[in-house]
Amino acid sequence: MIRDEGMLEQLLTTIRNFVKNELIPREHEVAEADKIPDDIVQQMRELGLFGLTIPEEYGGLGITMEEEVNVAFELGHTSPAFRSLIGTNNGIGSSAILIDGTEEQKQKYLPRYASGEIIGSFCLTEPEAGSDAASLKTSAVKDGDFYILNGTKRFITNAPHAATFTVMARTNPQIKGAGGISAFLVEANTPGITLGKIDQKMGQKGSHTCDVILENCRVPASALIGGVEGVGFKTAMKVLDKGRLHIGAYSVGVAERMLDDALRYAVERKQFGQPIANFQLIQAMLADSKAEIYAAKCMVLDAARRRDDGENISTEASCAKMFATEMCGRVADRCVQIHGGAGYISEYSIERFYRDVRLFRLYEGTTQVQQLIIAKNMIKEITG
């Protein structure tokens, strides 16, 4: 649901100009230095980008899901590292508190996320629990008015910069599956927390991940999100439903950027005395990419509107995430092909994007996990 068309267009124009004038010119700098410049981070704070989805009463802009996916379309036109920095504050880093947190937790943390004063991070994945998240081993043992946390979380986005971690931990070891898991909001300066070395990834330079290690980490009972044990996995799944829609939308934006670059290259590049855009096999790759982007955009927008209307969009979110991220990979491959040998050279942005977008099909649930979710939901509808 778009609340005010004029206000949304003003926001999108601001972001579009910021992407075009500030972010795109510095993509190469970020990739080379593996760091987002401090002045860019400050501009993001001033534009309110760290609090796009946080309600207005907590200092954010409070955009709806439909508005959020439109913003993601625009942010996708530049390096994923920029979105990744603000992404956890707007998504998985704050959503658990926003969805299931107590009012005290919301008052304490959401305004600081919204301003960009602090960065939140989401700790679900473990060395032995990735796609099978319900098998996580991190423990939280009650000790009076405290919990003692022990375990290791892996591939945690923004962990090197985070002030808080949303940690999924098992409070009831007798329950082996999802029912024994609770969610905690743990401050990064809590004794017992250490960070692993920053992961050296295939792509997405400037976006940092690492292990988060908890050793006898003692947190107050007030850190239990919502104040209730045993619902942490349900909280995580609600967070991921929203995140999957966002990643689907972002994949559309990145695909649009790659196709625009490839189209411009095809019009300018000449072979056999004419632009390669005149060749029908090039045109086929351009057309297939355009059609798939359009299809993914329609899916994402439809699912976002359904979520804003209060529908359960578990299936639709997985469909959109699966199709859009796979589409993005196909578009990246075609765009490298259109560039020919130039597409394999780092002078052209497609070489970097080709590596960057490979991650989209892995995080927030792999393509194969989305297939299982979709099929299980279909079967459940029939069998009850």
Side-chain angles (χ1 to χ4, degrees), residues 191-260:
I193 293 181
T194 56
L195 303 180
K197 63 180 178 61
I198 293 177
D199 299 316
Q200 296 301 306
K201 304 188 299 297
M202 178 192 295
Q204 299 217 14
K205 295 294 185 182
S207 171
H208 300 145
T209 65
C210 72
D211 284 2
V212 177
I213 303 152
L214 304 113
E215 297 177 297
N216 295 321
C217 181
R218 187 179 178 86
V219 300
S222 60
L224 178 65
I225 292 179
V228 181
E229 288 188 5
V231 296
F233 192 78
K234 291 181 180 179
T235 297
M237 293 306 102
K238 287 184 278 189
V239 169
L240 290 175
D241 270 352
K242 183 176 184 293
R244 285 164 182 162
L245 268 187
H246 180 91
I247 294 300
Y250 188 69
S251 297
V252 169
V254 175
E256 289 176 334
R257 162 67 188 278
M258 293 187 296
L259 182 58
D260 184 61

Side-chain angles (χ1 to χ4, degrees), residues 90 181 276:
N90 287 297
I181 297 171
I276 64 171

Side-chain angles (χ1 to χ4, degrees), residues 253-274:
V254 175
E256 289 176 334
R257 162 67 188 278
M258 293 187 296
L259 182 58
D260 184 61
D261 286 355
L263 175 60
R264 293 176 187 277
Y265 182 85
V267 169
E268 295 169 2
R269 172 67 169 164
K270 293 185 178 180
Q271 288 288 282
F272 304 100
Q274 58 182 310

Side-chain angles (χ1 to χ4, degrees), residues 34 62 73 123-124 131 146 158 172 188 225 244 266 312 350 370:
D34 192 21
F73 295 152
C123 299
L124 177 61
S131 295
F146 292 84
N158 282 339
N172 188 340
I225 292 179
R244 285 164 182 162
N312 180 343
I350 188 57
Q370 307 313 317

Side-chain angles (χ1 to χ4, degrees), residues 63-321:
I63 62 177
T64 66
M65 193 72 238
E66 184 177 357
E67 292 166 342
E68 181 181 344
V69 298
N70 276 280
V71 167
F73 295 152
E74 297 298 333
L75 289 173
H77 289 189
T78 187
S79 169
F82 296 117
R83 185 216 63 89
S84 184
L85 182 66
I86 64 173
T88 49
N89 274 28
N90 287 297
I92 56 178
S94 67
S95 289
I97 306 175
L98 193 55
I99 293 170
D100 286 333
T102 65
E103 184 57 34
E104 182 182 358
Q105 290 167 341
K106 292 176 183 178
Q107 292 284 355
K108 183 176 181 180
Y109 294 105
L110 291 180
R112 298 170 71 197
Y113 291 144
S115 67
E117 175 193 342
I118 62 172
I119 287 177
S121 199
F122 183 77
C123 299
L124 177 61
T125 301
E126 297 181 1
E128 301 297 325
S131 295
D132 183 16
S135 69
L136 64 83
K137 293 182 172 62
T138 296
S139 64
V141 178
K142 191 78 183 291
D143 180 25
D145 292 332
F146 292 84
Y147 286 88
I148 309 299
L149 275 60
N150 282 280
T152 298
K153 299 296 184 177
R154 180 143 293 172
F155 309 137
I156 306 305
T157 301
N158 282 339
H161 316 292
T164 65
F165 299 109
T166 301
V167 178
M168 301 298 156
R170 192 170 297 283
T171 46
N172 188 340
Q174 304 306 314
I175 302 176
K176 299 302 181 185
I181 297 171
S182 303
F184 295 86
L185 191 72
V186 183
E187 296 190 358
N189 60 4
T190 304
I193 293 181
T194 56
L195 303 180
K197 63 180 178 61
I198 293 177
D199 299 316
Q200 296 301 306
K201 304 188 299 297
M202 178 192 295
Q204 299 217 14
K205 295 294 185 182
S207 171
H208 300 145
T209 65
C210 72
D211 284 2
V212 177
I213 303 152
L214 304 113
E215 297 177 297
N216 295 321
C217 181
R218 187 179 178 86
V219 300
S222 60
L224 178 65
I225 292 179
V228 181
E229 288 188 5
V231 296
F233 192 78
K234 291 181 180 179
T235 297
M237 293 306 102
K238 287 184 278 189
V239 169
L240 290 175
D241 270 352
K242 183 176 184 293
R244 285 164 182 162
L245 268 187
H246 180 91
I247 294 300
Y250 188 69
S251 297
V252 169
V254 175
E256 289 176 334
R257 162 67 188 278
M258 293 187 296
L259 182 58
D260 184 61
D261 286 355
L263 175 60
R264 293 176 187 277
Y265 182 85
V267 169
E268 295 169 2
R269 172 67 169 164
K270 293 185 178 180
Q271 288 288 282
F272 304 100
Q274 58 182 310
I276 64 171
N278 290 349
F279 302 147
Q280 288 183 333
L281 292 178
I282 297 292
Q283 291 174 358
M285 289 190 282
L286 293 170
D288 284 351
S289 298
K290 182 70 172 180
E292 288 196 67
I293 291 170
Y294 177 53
K297 179 176 276 191
C298 290
M299 289 176 69
V300 167
L301 284 168
D302 177 70
R305 289 166 184 153
R306 288 170 181 264
R307 187 180 187 278
D308 283 340
D309 287 340
E311 294 184 32
N312 180 343
I313 50 93
S314 173
T315 299
E316 289 77 9
S318 287
C319 285
K321 198 273 181 181

Side-chain angles (χ1 to χ4, degrees), residues 26 35-43 45:
R26 302 183 74 172
K35 182 181 185 298
I36 298 175
D38 292 340
D39 65 301
I40 291 291
V41 177
Q42 183 57 33
Q43 288 184 69
R45 292 192 185 105

